[in-house]
Amino acid sequence: MKEIRKKFLSVVVLGGLSMIMNREIFAIQKSYVKEVTKVYTNMIPMDIPVNLETTTGQPKYLDYVYIKSVDAPLRIDASTTAKIIKKYPFNTKFQLLEKVVSKAGTEWYKVRNEDGNVGFISYRLVTLREFRFNKMMEKIDYLENFVNREIGEGKEIVATNTYVPNPYNTNLKWERDKYGTTLDQNGVGVYKGERIFIPDRSLVAIESETKDKALVKVASLKESPLEVDKKILTEYPKFDPNFRKVIVIDIKNQNQGAFEKKDGQWELISYAYNKTGMESQVGFDTPRGYFLVPMAKYEMGYRNEQGKNQGYAKYAIRFSGGGYIHGTPINFEEDINREFFMEQKNGILGTVPGTRKCIRNVEPHAEFLFNWVTGGKVNPRSNEQRPDENVLFIIF
């Protein structure tokens, strides 16, 4: 009897322990997530033709968030009471897996950190960034339709040319139109008495012209026609309706894609994080629109607020006014420890704007684009180079 009783008690005790362990496991498995509202694949969409010509500077994440606060906690679940995995500093990037709503009704992101661990971070502490390749292709389709329609109606397509170099940043023209475009380095169009500013190198179709004036349709504007001075229009470089090279810049997401048309099909040949312009004492927002590239430089110098030579950036391709896409800029005093400063500056690409108008890339990717734009046909005796064929910028 004693033996049977001991066995019975053992079973009861073990059963109780098992129930306790099951409750603990259930508590661990229980989630604060109420609903998954979006899943991110971190992959290029299947309907985008891809033929990458370089992986230099290729981003690690396509769908990601970056921390916009200080010491932001990554937690094991979607709750402010959940255990903290680790706290991260400003600008840390996480691969994005899901967007979720917690049972408390708050939004969270499920992410993977640099160690491969999965956790949750509040949407209030981060900013979302993603590569919108389909949107980029839509912009290219729009441009092709614009060109085909306007040429089909017998109109000539040219670019505006309103850039006047201003290396000392004197008498900058800060006036803005209803679209937020500044007058500085740009042209003026008039539509029903309203002044609308047209960024330098913008693609336009000429509808009619007189001795001094022209009526034009600007590819990036809905108002049409705009009256402009003929002197702001240029046929250099000559526009080719069969253009094959386009660089598309997504300002909102601080990234870009380069596309080339081969055998009648647009292919993605490279993509990268970037950094675009922001208004400051010596700079402006990166303009939106459709632009025809006039030239490129092996090296582009820049000055500080006092007009003194401050530094340089390599592999610069001009798209509008004094705006270039170029490699990471380096101040002269930083050259002695160039790799360190390069790494620091490259780490903030793909997050927030902050240049003087230009579009910053890591230097190796800027070099790839420079060689692609010039087709290897360069004058070794000159800093300035010309594209070997039309290259278009689409900035949205």
Side-chain angles (χ1 to χ4, degrees):
M1 283 291 295
K2 288 183 179 180
E3 237 177 14
I4 294 172
R5 188 176 178 184
K6 283 181 182 178
K7 287 181 180 179
F8 174 76
L9 288 172
S10 297
V11 170
V12 171
V13 171
L14 288 171
L17 285 172
S18 178
M19 289 176 65
I20 292 170
M21 289 175 67
N22 285 336
R23 281 201 299 270
E24 289 177 348
I25 291 170
F26 177 76
I28 292 171
Q29 291 177 341
K30 183 180 178 182
S31 174
Y32 289 94
V33 175
K34 177 183 178 182
E35 179 186 7
V36 176
T37 57
K38 188 169 183 179
V39 176
Y40 297 88
T41 64
N42 203 52
M43 295 175 62
I44 299 173
M46 294 295 292
D47 58 343
I48 301 295
V50 179
N51 184 16
L52 297 180
E53 295 186 6
T54 182
T55 56
T56 301
Q58 187 170 301
K60 185 176 181 180
Y61 306 134
L62 298 182
D63 303 314
Y64 62 101
V65 293
Y66 73 90
I67 291 176
K68 61 181 180 181
S69 62
V70 179
D71 292 332
L74 182 66
R75 299 179 182 272
I76 64 171
D77 211 332
S79 171
T80 54
T81 61
K83 181 181 177 181
I84 295 175
I85 298 173
K86 186 178 177 181
K87 289 187 177 182
Y88 290 87
F90 169 76
N91 197 45
T92 303
K93 296 182 180 76
F94 297 124
Q95 180 186 342
L96 188 53
L97 303 177
E98 296 174 352
K99 185 177 183 180
V100 306
V101 176
S102 72
K103 291 177 181 177
T106 56
E107 292 184 337
W108 292 73
Y109 288 113
K110 184 179 181 180
V111 300
R112 180 176 286 115
N113 67 9
E114 74 282 2
D115 298 322
N117 297 319
V118 174
F120 292 82
I121 192 161
S122 170
Y123 82 102
R124 297 178 183 275
L125 304 178
V126 295
T127 298
L128 169 68
R129 293 285 184 253
E130 54 190 332
F131 277 84
R132 299 188 289 178
F133 293 112
N134 288 115
K135 189 73 173 179
M136 293 178 183
M137 288 295 293
E138 288 174 13
K139 294 294 182 179
I140 295 176
D141 288 342
Y142 172 86
L143 177 57
E144 284 197 308
N145 289 335
F146 171 84
V147 168
N148 292 336
R149 181 180 67 250
E150 299 303 316
I151 289 181
E153 294 176 1
K155 300 172 188 174
E156 182 183 9
I157 294 181
V158 298
T160 59
N161 182 22
T162 53
Y163 173 53
V164 177
N166 186 7
Y168 295 98
N169 302 299
T170 57
N171 301 317
L172 300 177
K173 300 175 183 177
W174 297 100
E175 181 185 352
R176 290 180 179 269
D177 65 10
K178 66 181 180 182
Y179 292 111
T181 305
T182 58
L183 179 57
D184 197 78
Q185 300 183 345
N186 297 325
V188 178
V190 178
Y191 177 75
K192 295 182 179 180
E194 180 182 19
R195 283 166 32 114
I196 298 176
F197 302 147
I198 307 170
D200 174 62
R201 306 309 309 177
S202 290
L203 217 59
V204 305
I206 301 176
E207 297 199 357
S208 64
E209 52 189 321
T210 61
K211 181 180 178 182
D212 299 317
K213 301 288 185 179
L215 295 178
V216 301
K217 169 63 176 174
V218 183
S220 58
L221 296 173
K222 62 182 180 180
E223 290 84 0
S224 178
L226 277 76
E227 183 182 69
V228 301
D229 289 334
K230 281 180 65 175
K231 64 183 180 182
I232 76 167
L233 304 178
T234 180
E235 294 185 356
Y236 177 82
K238 184 73 174 176
F239 178 71
D240 181 357
N242 298 311
F243 61 93
R244 304 182 312 114
K245 296 180 178 181
V246 177
I247 299 172
V248 188
I249 308 297
D250 184 345
I251 291 179
K252 178 181 178 181
N253 286 285
Q254 296 290 286
N255 59 45
Q256 66 191 59
F259 296 82
E260 185 169 340
K261 196 170 190 179
K262 300 176 182 179
D263 299 323
Q265 178 177 259
W266 288 100
E267 297 178 343
L268 177 69
I269 65 165
S270 81
Y271 57 93
Y273 297 150
N274 63 30
K275 190 177 188 68
T276 62
M278 181 178 70
E279 184 178 311
S280 66
Q281 183 180 345
V282 292
F284 297 88
D285 301 331
T286 299
R288 290 171 167 82
Y290 298 82
F291 306 98
L292 182 59
V293 172
M295 54 86 73
K297 294 180 179 180
Y298 277 114
E299 190 172 289
M300 180 197 74
Y302 59 92
R303 299 172 186 267
N304 61 18
E305 289 80 355
Q306 290 74 42
K308 296 181 180 179
N309 290 332
Q310 184 177 17
Y312 66 96
K314 291 186 176 181
Y315 308 113
I317 305 163
R318 188 158 78 85
F319 59 86
S320 180
Y324 292 75
I325 191 168
H326 58 65
T328 306
I330 289 292
N331 294 349
F332 294 128
E333 62 269 21
E334 296 172 340
D335 238 344
I336 193 171
N337 198 1
R338 195 169 191 271
E339 290 186 8
F340 170 80
F341 286 105
M342 281 283 197
E343 184 177 355
Q344 297 300 308
K345 294 179 180 183
N346 290 341
I348 61 175
L349 298 180
T351 58
V352 295
T355 72
R356 301 178 180 184
K357 179 188 272 189
C358 294
I359 300 167
R360 185 186 303 177
N361 280 197
V362 296
E363 190 174 282
H365 189 261
E367 182 180 13
F368 163 77
L369 291 178
F370 182 92
N371 292 332
W372 179 63
V373 164
T374 59
K377 301 172 184 176
V378 296
N379 178 0
R381 299 177 181 177
S382 174
N383 184 42
E384 293 192 6
Q385 303 296 326
R386 299 287 181 265
D388 72 327
E389 60 181 288
N390 280 175
V391 178
L392 279 295
F393 267 65
I394 300 175
I395 304 176
F396 72 99

